[in-house]
Amino acid sequence: MTDTTRTEPTGPATRTTRDLTKAAVSGWLGTAMEFMDFQLYSLAAAIVFNKIFFPDVSPAIGLIAAMATYGVGYVARLAGAVYFGRMGDRIGRKKVLFLTILLMGASTTLIGALPTYASIGILAPILLVALRLVQGFGAGAEIAGATVMLAEYAPTKRRGLVSSLVSLGTNSGTLAASGLWAILLAVLSEEQLLSWGWRLPFLLSFLLMIFAVWLRRNLKESPVFEERADVVDGVAMSRDEVETVLTDSALDEKQESVLEAGIRQRKGKAFFLALGLRFGQAGNSGLIQTFLVGYIATTLHAERSVPTDAIVYGSLLGFLTVPLVGLLGDRFGRRPMYLALTLLTMAFAFPMMMLITSDSTSALMLGMVLGLNVGVLGLFSLESVTMAELFGSRTRFTQLALAKEIGGILATAIGPVVAATLTAVTGSWWPIAAMLVVYSLITLVSAYLAPETRGRDLVRLEDAA
Protein backbone atom coordinates (compact mmCIF):
# COMPACT_ATOMS: atom_id res chain seq x y z
CA MET A 1 0.00 0.00 0.00
CA THR A 2 1.09 3.57 -0.65
CA ASP A 3 2.61 5.22 2.38
CA THR A 4 -0.15 7.40 3.86
CA THR A 5 1.71 8.71 6.87
CA ARG A 6 1.25 12.47 7.19
CA THR A 7 2.04 15.10 9.73
CA GLU A 8 -0.77 17.32 10.93
CA PRO A 9 -1.24 20.21 8.48
CA THR A 10 -0.33 23.61 9.75
CA GLY A 11 -1.64 25.56 6.76
CA PRO A 12 -1.63 25.57 3.00
CA ALA A 13 1.52 25.29 0.92
CA THR A 14 2.93 28.58 -0.20
CA ARG A 15 2.17 30.11 -3.59
CA THR A 16 3.82 33.08 -5.27
CA THR A 17 2.07 36.34 -6.06
CA ARG A 18 2.08 35.27 -9.71
CA ASP A 19 0.32 32.03 -8.82
CA LEU A 20 -2.30 33.95 -6.85
CA THR A 21 -2.81 36.37 -9.74
CA LYS A 22 -3.37 33.48 -12.16
CA ALA A 23 -5.86 31.89 -9.78
CA ALA A 24 -7.69 35.19 -9.29
CA VAL A 25 -7.93 35.90 -13.02
CA SER A 26 -8.97 32.30 -13.66
CA GLY A 27 -11.75 32.47 -11.06
CA TRP A 28 -13.00 35.83 -12.30
CA LEU A 29 -12.84 34.77 -15.95
CA GLY A 30 -14.61 31.45 -15.40
CA THR A 31 -17.49 33.05 -13.54
CA ALA A 32 -17.67 35.82 -16.16
CA MET A 33 -17.88 33.16 -18.88
CA GLU A 34 -20.60 31.28 -17.00
CA PHE A 35 -22.79 34.34 -16.62
CA MET A 36 -22.00 35.60 -20.10
CA ASP A 37 -22.92 32.24 -21.64
CA PHE A 38 -26.20 32.06 -19.77
CA GLN A 39 -27.05 35.70 -20.44
CA LEU A 40 -26.24 35.31 -24.14
CA TYR A 41 -28.58 32.37 -24.26
CA SER A 42 -31.38 33.97 -22.25
CA LEU A 43 -31.35 37.07 -24.44
CA ALA A 44 -31.23 34.99 -27.63
CA ALA A 45 -34.10 32.86 -26.34
CA ALA A 46 -36.19 35.97 -25.72
CA ILE A 47 -35.28 37.76 -28.96
CA VAL A 48 -34.65 35.32 -31.84
CA PHE A 49 -34.72 31.63 -30.93
CA ASN A 50 -38.50 31.32 -31.18
CA LYS A 51 -38.26 32.38 -34.85
CA ILE A 52 -35.14 30.38 -35.70
CA PHE A 53 -35.74 27.08 -33.93
CA PHE A 54 -39.54 27.05 -33.43
CA PRO A 55 -41.00 28.78 -36.50
CA ASP A 56 -43.92 26.41 -37.14
CA VAL A 57 -45.82 27.38 -33.98
CA SER A 58 -47.48 30.57 -32.85
CA PRO A 59 -45.17 33.34 -31.57
CA ALA A 60 -46.37 32.81 -28.00
CA ILE A 61 -45.77 29.05 -28.07
CA GLY A 62 -42.43 29.62 -29.79
CA LEU A 63 -41.33 31.94 -27.00
CA ILE A 64 -42.44 29.43 -24.36
CA ALA A 65 -40.48 26.67 -26.13
CA ALA A 66 -37.40 28.88 -26.44
CA MET A 67 -37.52 29.79 -22.75
CA ALA A 68 -38.06 26.13 -21.85
CA THR A 69 -34.76 25.28 -23.52
CA TYR A 70 -33.25 27.99 -21.31
CA GLY A 71 -34.76 26.36 -18.23
CA VAL A 72 -33.36 22.88 -18.87
CA GLY A 73 -29.91 24.28 -18.22
CA TYR A 74 -30.81 24.71 -14.55
CA VAL A 75 -31.75 21.04 -14.27
CA ALA A 76 -28.36 20.12 -15.69
CA ARG A 77 -26.63 22.48 -13.25
CA LEU A 78 -27.69 20.40 -10.26
CA ALA A 79 -26.40 17.20 -11.89
CA GLY A 80 -23.13 18.96 -12.69
CA ALA A 81 -22.81 20.18 -9.10
CA VAL A 82 -23.02 16.60 -7.81
CA TYR A 83 -20.78 15.01 -10.43
CA PHE A 84 -18.02 17.59 -10.62
CA GLY A 85 -18.22 18.50 -6.94
CA ARG A 86 -17.38 14.94 -5.92
CA MET A 87 -14.68 14.78 -8.57
CA GLY A 88 -13.14 18.03 -7.33
CA ASP A 89 -12.95 16.76 -3.77
CA ARG A 90 -11.47 13.48 -4.98
CA ILE A 91 -8.85 14.38 -7.61
CA GLY A 92 -8.36 18.12 -7.18
CA ARG A 93 -9.85 21.50 -8.04
CA LYS A 94 -7.64 22.26 -11.05
CA LYS A 95 -8.67 19.25 -13.17
CA VAL A 96 -12.36 19.88 -12.62
CA LEU A 97 -12.14 23.61 -13.38
CA PHE A 98 -10.36 22.78 -16.63
CA LEU A 99 -13.20 20.44 -17.63
CA THR A 100 -16.02 22.79 -16.64
CA ILE A 101 -14.63 25.76 -18.58
CA LEU A 102 -14.09 23.51 -21.61
CA LEU A 103 -17.65 22.16 -21.47
CA MET A 104 -19.20 25.60 -21.07
CA GLY A 105 -17.10 27.26 -23.75
CA ALA A 106 -17.41 24.48 -26.34
CA SER A 107 -21.19 24.14 -25.96
CA THR A 108 -21.71 27.90 -26.18
CA THR A 109 -19.56 28.14 -29.32
CA LEU A 110 -21.38 25.20 -30.94
CA ILE A 111 -24.74 26.87 -30.34
CA GLY A 112 -23.53 29.61 -32.68
CA ALA A 113 -22.76 26.99 -35.34
CA LEU A 114 -26.09 25.14 -35.14
CA PRO A 115 -28.15 24.70 -38.30
CA THR A 116 -31.61 26.20 -38.00
CA TYR A 117 -35.06 24.62 -38.18
CA ALA A 118 -35.27 25.70 -41.83
CA SER A 119 -32.19 23.60 -42.60
CA ILE A 120 -32.70 20.35 -40.68
CA GLY A 121 -36.17 20.56 -39.16
CA ILE A 122 -36.95 19.20 -35.69
CA LEU A 123 -33.33 18.06 -35.21
CA ALA A 124 -32.32 21.74 -34.78
CA PRO A 125 -34.18 22.38 -31.49
CA ILE A 126 -33.17 18.90 -30.26
CA LEU A 127 -29.50 19.78 -30.77
CA LEU A 128 -30.11 23.14 -29.10
CA VAL A 129 -31.49 21.44 -26.00
CA ALA A 130 -28.60 18.96 -25.97
CA LEU A 131 -26.01 21.75 -26.05
CA ARG A 132 -27.92 23.64 -23.40
CA LEU A 133 -27.78 20.58 -21.15
CA VAL A 134 -24.01 20.27 -21.66
CA GLN A 135 -23.59 23.99 -20.95
CA GLY A 136 -25.58 23.72 -17.73
CA PHE A 137 -23.78 20.53 -16.67
CA GLY A 138 -20.45 22.35 -16.77
CA ALA A 139 -21.80 25.54 -15.21
CA GLY A 140 -23.22 23.65 -12.22
CA ALA A 141 -19.78 23.34 -10.68
CA GLU A 142 -17.99 26.32 -12.25
CA ILE A 143 -18.81 29.07 -9.77
CA ALA A 144 -18.49 26.68 -6.81
CA GLY A 145 -15.12 25.46 -8.06
CA ALA A 146 -13.86 28.97 -8.70
CA THR A 147 -15.02 30.00 -5.23
CA VAL A 148 -13.23 27.07 -3.61
CA MET A 149 -10.05 27.61 -5.61
CA LEU A 150 -9.79 31.31 -4.83
CA ALA A 151 -10.58 30.88 -1.14
CA GLU A 152 -7.97 28.12 -0.85
CA TYR A 153 -5.37 30.17 -2.72
CA ALA A 154 -5.91 33.48 -0.93
CA PRO A 155 -3.79 34.74 1.98
CA THR A 156 -5.79 34.31 5.17
CA LYS A 157 -5.99 38.02 5.98
CA ARG A 158 -7.18 38.92 2.45
CA ARG A 159 -9.39 35.90 1.80
CA GLY A 160 -12.61 37.90 1.66
CA LEU A 161 -11.21 40.43 -0.82
CA VAL A 162 -9.62 37.84 -3.12
CA SER A 163 -12.68 35.56 -3.05
CA SER A 164 -14.93 38.47 -3.96
CA LEU A 165 -13.42 38.44 -7.45
CA VAL A 166 -15.70 35.49 -8.19
CA SER A 167 -18.67 37.75 -7.51
CA LEU A 168 -17.26 40.41 -9.83
CA GLY A 169 -17.30 37.82 -12.60
CA THR A 170 -21.10 37.82 -12.51
CA ASN A 171 -21.17 41.55 -13.24
CA SER A 172 -18.57 41.25 -15.97
CA GLY A 173 -20.33 38.40 -17.78
CA THR A 174 -23.79 39.92 -17.58
CA LEU A 175 -22.61 43.32 -18.79
CA ALA A 176 -20.55 41.80 -21.63
CA ALA A 177 -23.44 39.70 -22.93
CA SER A 178 -25.92 42.57 -22.64
CA GLY A 179 -23.48 44.89 -24.42
CA LEU A 180 -22.94 42.47 -27.29
CA TRP A 181 -26.66 42.08 -27.88
CA ALA A 182 -27.23 45.81 -27.57
CA ILE A 183 -24.68 46.41 -30.34
CA LEU A 184 -26.23 43.77 -32.59
CA LEU A 185 -29.74 45.17 -32.13
CA ALA A 186 -28.47 48.67 -32.85
CA VAL A 187 -26.47 48.00 -36.04
CA LEU A 188 -28.20 45.03 -37.71
CA SER A 189 -31.56 44.83 -39.44
CA GLU A 190 -33.98 42.12 -38.31
CA GLU A 191 -33.22 40.12 -41.46
CA GLN A 192 -29.47 40.26 -40.79
CA LEU A 193 -29.98 39.39 -37.14
CA LEU A 194 -32.08 36.33 -37.94
CA SER A 195 -29.91 35.10 -40.82
CA TRP A 196 -26.42 35.35 -39.29
CA GLY A 197 -26.10 38.11 -36.69
CA TRP A 198 -27.41 36.03 -33.79
CA ARG A 199 -24.48 33.63 -34.22
CA LEU A 200 -21.76 36.22 -33.60
CA PRO A 201 -21.90 36.45 -29.76
CA PHE A 202 -21.76 32.66 -29.42
CA LEU A 203 -18.91 32.26 -31.92
CA LEU A 204 -16.92 35.12 -30.39
CA SER A 205 -17.04 33.37 -27.01
CA PHE A 206 -14.63 30.82 -28.53
CA LEU A 207 -11.77 33.31 -28.20
CA LEU A 208 -12.51 33.82 -24.51
CA MET A 209 -12.72 30.06 -24.00
CA ILE A 210 -9.28 29.49 -25.57
CA PHE A 211 -7.68 32.00 -23.22
CA ALA A 212 -9.50 30.57 -20.19
CA VAL A 213 -8.53 26.99 -21.06
CA TRP A 214 -4.88 28.00 -21.53
CA LEU A 215 -4.90 29.86 -18.21
CA ARG A 216 -6.35 26.95 -16.28
CA ARG A 217 -4.07 24.43 -17.94
CA ASN A 218 -1.11 26.36 -16.52
CA LEU A 219 -2.67 26.93 -13.09
CA LYS A 220 -1.18 25.13 -10.11
CA GLU A 221 -3.40 22.97 -7.93
CA SER A 222 -5.00 24.43 -4.83
CA PRO A 223 -2.38 24.51 -2.05
CA VAL A 224 -5.06 23.44 0.43
CA PHE A 225 -5.88 20.31 -1.58
CA GLU A 226 -2.21 19.37 -1.70
CA GLU A 227 -1.88 19.73 2.07
CA ARG A 228 -4.94 17.65 2.96
CA ALA A 229 -4.14 14.80 5.32
CA ASP A 230 -6.30 12.38 3.32
CA VAL A 231 -4.68 13.11 -0.07
CA VAL A 232 -1.96 10.74 -1.27
CA ASP A 233 -0.26 11.17 -4.64
CA GLY A 234 -2.83 13.75 -5.72
CA VAL A 235 -5.91 11.62 -4.98
CA ALA A 236 -8.08 11.64 -1.85
CA MET A 237 -8.44 8.40 0.03
CA SER A 238 -11.89 6.84 0.21
CA ARG A 239 -13.59 6.43 3.58
CA ASP A 240 -12.61 2.74 3.67
CA GLU A 241 -8.99 3.63 2.94
CA VAL A 242 -8.97 6.22 5.71
CA GLU A 243 -10.46 3.68 8.13
CA THR A 244 -7.70 1.24 7.19
CA VAL A 245 -5.03 3.86 7.78
CA LEU A 246 -6.51 4.70 11.18
CA THR A 247 -5.84 1.14 12.30
CA ASP A 248 -2.15 1.58 11.43
CA SER A 249 -0.21 1.67 14.66
CA ALA A 250 2.42 3.85 12.96
CA LEU A 251 0.12 6.87 13.16
CA ASP A 252 0.68 9.14 16.11
CA GLU A 253 -2.15 10.73 18.08
CA LYS A 254 -2.13 14.00 16.12
CA GLN A 255 -2.22 12.29 12.72
CA GLU A 256 -5.06 10.07 13.85
CA SER A 257 -7.12 12.99 15.19
CA VAL A 258 -6.80 14.88 11.88
CA LEU A 259 -8.12 11.96 9.83
CA GLU A 260 -10.83 11.07 12.34
CA ALA A 261 -12.14 14.63 12.30
CA GLY A 262 -12.61 14.42 8.55
CA ILE A 263 -14.61 11.21 8.37
CA ARG A 264 -16.41 10.90 11.71
CA GLN A 265 -17.94 14.33 12.06
CA ARG A 266 -21.70 14.19 11.59
CA LYS A 267 -22.48 16.19 8.43
CA GLY A 268 -25.47 18.40 7.78
CA LYS A 269 -25.41 21.44 10.07
CA ALA A 270 -22.88 23.40 8.01
CA PHE A 271 -24.73 22.55 4.80
CA PHE A 272 -28.07 23.85 6.07
CA LEU A 273 -26.41 26.99 7.42
CA ALA A 274 -24.83 27.58 4.00
CA LEU A 275 -28.18 26.94 2.33
CA GLY A 276 -29.72 29.61 4.56
CA LEU A 277 -26.95 32.07 3.74
CA ARG A 278 -27.50 31.37 0.03
CA PHE A 279 -31.28 31.70 0.29
CA GLY A 280 -31.29 35.43 1.03
CA GLN A 281 -28.91 36.38 -1.75
CA ALA A 282 -30.52 34.12 -4.36
CA GLY A 283 -34.07 35.07 -3.36
CA ASN A 284 -33.35 38.78 -3.38
CA SER A 285 -31.65 38.40 -6.76
CA GLY A 286 -34.68 36.66 -8.27
CA LEU A 287 -36.96 39.42 -7.05
CA ILE A 288 -34.81 42.45 -7.88
CA GLN A 289 -33.01 41.31 -11.03
CA THR A 290 -35.78 39.21 -12.58
CA PHE A 291 -39.26 39.87 -11.23
CA LEU A 292 -39.04 43.63 -10.68
CA VAL A 293 -37.81 44.22 -14.24
CA GLY A 294 -41.04 42.77 -15.62
CA TYR A 295 -43.23 44.21 -12.86
CA ILE A 296 -42.01 47.75 -13.46
CA ALA A 297 -42.61 47.49 -17.20
CA THR A 298 -45.99 45.71 -17.16
CA THR A 299 -47.67 46.78 -13.93
CA LEU A 300 -46.12 50.21 -13.39
CA HIS A 301 -46.11 50.90 -17.17
CA ALA A 302 -42.61 52.34 -17.18
CA GLU A 303 -40.40 52.20 -20.26
CA ARG A 304 -38.73 48.79 -20.51
CA SER A 305 -35.34 50.46 -20.65
CA VAL A 306 -35.79 52.00 -17.19
CA PRO A 307 -35.46 48.85 -15.04
CA THR A 308 -32.83 47.31 -17.32
CA ASP A 309 -30.79 50.53 -17.17
CA ALA A 310 -31.12 50.46 -13.39
CA ILE A 311 -29.69 46.91 -13.32
CA VAL A 312 -26.79 48.02 -15.52
CA TYR A 313 -26.03 51.01 -13.27
CA GLY A 314 -26.34 48.82 -10.20
CA SER A 315 -23.98 46.25 -11.70
CA LEU A 316 -21.43 48.96 -12.46
CA LEU A 317 -21.63 50.22 -8.88
CA GLY A 318 -21.15 46.62 -7.83
CA PHE A 319 -17.53 46.79 -9.00
CA LEU A 320 -17.01 48.97 -5.91
CA THR A 321 -19.50 47.30 -3.57
CA VAL A 322 -18.25 43.73 -3.96
CA PRO A 323 -14.55 44.27 -3.09
CA LEU A 324 -15.49 46.78 -0.37
CA VAL A 325 -17.69 44.20 1.36
CA GLY A 326 -14.89 41.64 0.95
CA LEU A 327 -12.46 44.03 2.65
CA LEU A 328 -14.89 44.79 5.48
CA GLY A 329 -15.45 41.07 5.98
CA ASP A 330 -11.70 40.62 6.35
CA ARG A 331 -11.58 43.49 8.83
CA PHE A 332 -14.65 42.87 11.00
CA GLY A 333 -15.58 39.25 10.33
CA ARG A 334 -18.18 37.43 8.22
CA ARG A 335 -21.00 37.28 10.79
CA PRO A 336 -21.08 41.01 11.64
CA MET A 337 -21.19 41.89 7.95
CA TYR A 338 -23.92 39.36 7.23
CA LEU A 339 -25.99 40.66 10.13
CA ALA A 340 -25.48 44.27 9.02
CA LEU A 341 -26.33 43.69 5.35
CA THR A 342 -29.41 41.56 6.02
CA LEU A 343 -30.73 44.05 8.59
CA LEU A 344 -30.15 46.89 6.11
CA THR A 345 -31.98 44.95 3.39
CA MET A 346 -34.92 44.25 5.68
CA ALA A 347 -35.09 47.89 6.78
CA PHE A 348 -34.84 49.13 3.18
CA ALA A 349 -37.34 46.68 1.61
CA PHE A 350 -40.48 48.80 2.05
CA PRO A 351 -38.76 52.18 1.41
CA MET A 352 -37.25 50.65 -1.74
CA MET A 353 -40.67 49.67 -3.07
CA MET A 354 -42.01 53.13 -2.20
CA LEU A 355 -39.23 54.65 -4.30
CA ILE A 356 -39.90 52.26 -7.16
CA THR A 357 -43.64 52.99 -7.18
CA SER A 358 -43.29 56.75 -6.69
CA ASP A 359 -43.78 57.69 -10.39
CA SER A 360 -40.30 59.18 -10.39
CA THR A 361 -37.78 57.59 -12.74
CA SER A 362 -34.80 58.80 -10.72
CA ALA A 363 -36.34 57.49 -7.48
CA LEU A 364 -37.09 54.16 -9.15
CA MET A 365 -33.51 53.81 -10.32
CA LEU A 366 -32.14 54.80 -6.93
CA GLY A 367 -34.26 52.15 -5.24
CA MET A 368 -33.20 49.44 -7.69
CA VAL A 369 -29.50 50.34 -7.56
CA LEU A 370 -29.37 50.40 -3.75
CA GLY A 371 -31.44 47.26 -3.38
CA LEU A 372 -29.25 45.38 -5.85
CA ASN A 373 -26.00 46.41 -4.16
CA VAL A 374 -27.04 45.87 -0.55
CA GLY A 375 -29.39 42.90 -0.80
CA VAL A 376 -27.78 40.98 -3.68
CA LEU A 377 -24.21 41.91 -4.60
CA GLY A 378 -23.06 42.67 -1.06
CA LEU A 379 -24.38 39.34 0.18
CA PHE A 380 -22.85 37.58 -2.83
CA SER A 381 -19.44 38.96 -1.92
CA LEU A 382 -19.74 37.55 1.60
CA GLU A 383 -21.17 34.28 0.34
CA SER A 384 -18.13 33.67 -1.86
CA VAL A 385 -15.82 33.32 1.12
CA THR A 386 -18.08 32.33 4.01
CA MET A 387 -19.52 29.22 2.39
CA ALA A 388 -16.02 28.01 1.51
CA GLU A 389 -14.89 28.56 5.10
CA LEU A 390 -17.90 26.74 6.55
CA PHE A 391 -16.99 23.43 4.93
CA GLY A 392 -14.08 21.12 5.61
CA SER A 393 -11.63 20.51 2.79
CA ARG A 394 -12.64 16.87 2.32
CA THR A 395 -16.14 17.72 1.01
CA ARG A 396 -15.91 21.48 0.43
CA PHE A 397 -16.39 21.45 -3.33
CA THR A 398 -19.40 19.09 -3.27
CA GLN A 399 -21.24 20.74 -0.40
CA LEU A 400 -20.64 24.26 -1.67
CA ALA A 401 -21.82 23.40 -5.20
CA LEU A 402 -24.98 21.73 -3.90
CA ALA A 403 -25.78 24.56 -1.49
CA LYS A 404 -25.44 27.11 -4.29
CA GLU A 405 -27.50 25.19 -6.83
CA ILE A 406 -30.26 23.98 -4.50
CA GLY A 407 -30.56 27.41 -2.89
CA GLY A 408 -30.63 29.03 -6.31
CA ILE A 409 -33.34 26.72 -7.64
CA LEU A 410 -35.55 27.05 -4.55
CA ALA A 411 -35.23 30.80 -4.11
CA THR A 412 -34.49 32.24 -7.55
CA ALA A 413 -36.79 29.99 -9.55
CA ILE A 414 -39.78 29.91 -7.21
CA GLY A 415 -39.59 33.46 -5.85
CA PRO A 416 -40.68 35.35 -8.97
CA VAL A 417 -43.64 33.00 -9.45
CA VAL A 418 -44.80 33.52 -5.86
CA ALA A 419 -44.29 37.28 -6.17
CA ALA A 420 -46.32 37.40 -9.40
CA THR A 421 -49.15 35.48 -7.75
CA LEU A 422 -49.23 37.59 -4.59
CA THR A 423 -49.08 40.92 -6.41
CA ALA A 424 -51.87 39.79 -8.73
CA VAL A 425 -54.08 38.67 -5.83
CA THR A 426 -53.48 41.73 -3.65
CA GLY A 427 -53.15 44.30 -6.43
CA SER A 428 -50.32 45.87 -4.44
CA TRP A 429 -46.53 45.96 -4.21
CA TRP A 430 -46.25 45.13 -0.53
CA PRO A 431 -45.83 41.33 -1.05
CA ILE A 432 -42.56 42.06 -2.90
CA ALA A 433 -41.19 43.97 0.06
CA ALA A 434 -42.46 41.30 2.45
CA MET A 435 -40.69 38.56 0.47
CA LEU A 436 -37.43 40.54 0.55
CA VAL A 437 -37.80 40.73 4.33
CA VAL A 438 -38.49 36.99 4.63
CA TYR A 439 -35.59 35.99 2.40
CA SER A 440 -33.22 38.29 4.27
CA LEU A 441 -34.54 37.04 7.62
CA ILE A 442 -33.63 33.47 6.65
CA THR A 443 -30.06 34.59 5.97
CA LEU A 444 -30.02 36.70 9.16
CA VAL A 445 -30.96 33.70 11.30
CA SER A 446 -28.44 31.47 9.49
CA ALA A 447 -25.67 34.03 10.01
CA TYR A 448 -26.61 34.35 13.69
CA LEU A 449 -26.44 30.58 14.19
CA ALA A 450 -23.27 30.12 12.13
CA PRO A 451 -19.80 30.27 13.71
CA GLU A 452 -17.41 33.06 12.78
CA THR A 453 -15.23 31.61 10.03
CA ARG A 454 -12.80 34.45 9.33
CA GLY A 455 -9.22 33.18 9.53
CA ARG A 456 -10.21 29.50 9.67
CA ASP A 457 -7.60 26.99 8.56
CA LEU A 458 -9.06 25.69 5.29
CA VAL A 459 -6.84 22.59 5.32
CA ARG A 460 -8.93 21.12 8.17
CA LEU A 461 -11.01 18.19 6.94
CA GLU A 462 -14.05 18.78 9.15
CA ASP A 463 -16.80 21.38 8.74
CA ALA A 464 -16.81 24.50 10.91
CA ALA A 465 -20.18 23.50 12.42
Side-chain angles (χ1 to χ4, degrees):
M1 176 184 288
T2 303
D3 181 16
T4 56
T5 303
R6 292 290 186 96
T7 58
E8 184 178 11
T10 58
T14 58
R15 288 288 186 265
T16 66
T17 301
R18 185 178 180 183
D19 293 330
L20 177 60
T21 301
K22 282 186 178 180
V25 174
S26 170
W28 165 78
L29 189 59
T31 307
M33 274 194 67
E34 174 187 345
F35 276 76
M36 187 180 79
D37 290 350
F38 268 64
Q39 185 73 355
L40 284 176
Y41 192 99
S42 64
L43 291 171
I47 297 169
V48 298
F49 278 0
N50 60 320
K51 300 173 184 177
I52 295 171
F53 292 101
F54 308 97
D56 286 351
V57 297
S58 69
I61 298 300
L63 180 59
I64 292 172
M67 295 309 294
T69 63
Y70 172 72
V72 298
Y74 283 93
V75 178
R77 289 179 70 100
L78 188 57
V82 175
Y83 180 80
F84 286 117
R86 294 179 66 181
M87 183 186 293
D89 284 326
R90 176 76 171 161
I91 65 172
R93 314 340 185 172
K94 174 186 172 179
K95 297 182 181 71
V96 169
L97 284 172
F98 178 80
L99 290 174
T100 56
I101 203 78
L102 192 61
L103 280 176
M104 288 195 315
S107 58
T108 300
T109 301
L110 288 174
I111 287 174
L114 276 178
T116 64
Y117 187 92
S119 301
I120 60 172
I122 191 64
L123 187 58
I126 290 174
L127 290 173
L128 180 65
V129 171
L131 288 175
R132 178 63 176 160
L133 286 170
V134 173
Q135 187 189 59
F137 190 63
E142 170 59 38
I143 194 168
T147 298
V148 169
M149 191 67 146
L150 268 187
E152 292 184 345
Y153 246 93
T156 303
K157 292 184 178 180
R158 288 291 177 263
R159 193 182 289 156
L161 174 62
V162 173
S163 298
S164 73
L165 291 175
V166 173
S167 306
L168 285 183
T170 65
N171 290 17
S172 305
T174 300
L175 289 171
S178 301
L180 281 172
W181 270 105
I183 293 171
L184 290 177
L185 291 171
V187 303
L188 298 181
S189 66
E190 183 173 359
E191 182 181 354
Q192 291 172 322
L193 188 67
L194 292 175
S195 63
W196 55 269
W198 68 271
R199 299 181 184 276
L200 292 179
F202 296 98
L203 295 175
L204 287 172
S205 69
F206 178 76
L207 299 175
L208 190 60
M209 180 197 74
I210 292 298
F211 176 65
V213 166
W214 171 82
L215 188 64
R216 288 193 173 175
R217 185 178 179 84
N218 292 280
L219 185 66
K220 292 181 181 178
E221 180 55 86
S222 156
V224 167
F225 182 82
E226 291 182 348
E227 287 293 314
R228 274 171 49 181
D230 63 334
V231 170
V232 179
D233 296 329
V235 178
M237 291 183 285
S238 67
R239 185 181 182 89
D240 289 341
E241 289 172 330
V242 175
E243 292 282 6
T244 301
V245 170
L246 286 173
T247 63
D248 187 349
S249 59
L251 288 177
D252 61 32
E253 186 176 338
K254 288 185 177 181
Q255 293 169 335
E256 184 175 337
S257 67
V258 169
L259 290 173
E260 281 188 334
I263 67 167
R264 300 199 174 151
Q265 180 190 38
R266 186 173 181 178
K267 299 291 183 180
K269 183 177 180 181
F271 178 80
F272 284 107
L273 288 173
L275 195 61
L277 296 178
R278 170 70 170 153
F279 217 82
Q281 186 276 331
N284 293 345
S285 175
L287 290 176
I288 295 173
Q289 293 182 275
T290 302
F291 176 74
L292 273 179
V293 172
Y295 178 83
I296 289 168
T298 58
T299 303
L300 302 183
H301 305 294
E303 291 290 332
R304 286 190 176 273
S305 61
V306 173
T308 53
D309 286 348
I311 295 297
V312 170
Y313 297 147
S315 297
L316 290 172
L317 180 60
F319 283 98
L320 295 176
T321 301
V322 167
L324 176 61
V325 171
L327 277 171
L328 292 175
D330 286 331
R331 175 67 177 83
F332 299 106
R334 319 303 181 207
R335 289 181 73 245
M337 288 303 300
Y338 256 116
L339 297 177
L341 285 177
T342 50
L343 286 171
L344 278 173
T345 304
M346 292 166 68
F348 184 60
F350 281 88
M352 181 187 81
M353 289 308 302
M354 290 177 184
L355 288 170
I356 289 172
T357 58
S358 66
D359 292 329
S360 167
T361 300
S362 57
L364 186 155
M365 286 197 168
L366 178 63
M368 289 278 285
V369 167
L370 292 177
L372 177 64
N373 277 269
V374 176
V376 179
L377 298 180
L379 289 178
F380 200 4
S381 179
L382 282 174
E383 178 185 296
S384 294
V385 64
T386 310
M387 287 174 65
E389 292 172 330
L390 268 175
F391 299 123
S393 59
R394 183 169 171 82
T395 58
R396 177 173 292 128
F397 200 149
T398 305
Q399 291 199 83
L400 198 153
L402 282 174
K404 277 187 174 290
E405 295 307 318
I406 292 174
I409 290 171
L410 290 177
T412 308
I414 296 175
V417 177
V418 174
T421 303
L422 292 176
T423 52
V425 170
T426 62
S428 177
W429 54 260
W430 68 261
I432 305 170
M435 289 182 67
L436 288 169
V437 171
V438 171
Y439 281 138
S440 301
L441 181 61
I442 292 172
T443 293
L444 178 71
V445 173
S446 300
Y448 179 78
L449 296 175
E452 176 56 63
T453 58
R454 179 184 57 161
R456 186 171 190 257
D457 180 6
L458 296 188
V459 181
R460 295 175 64 174
L461 301 182
E462 74 276 16
D463 295 341

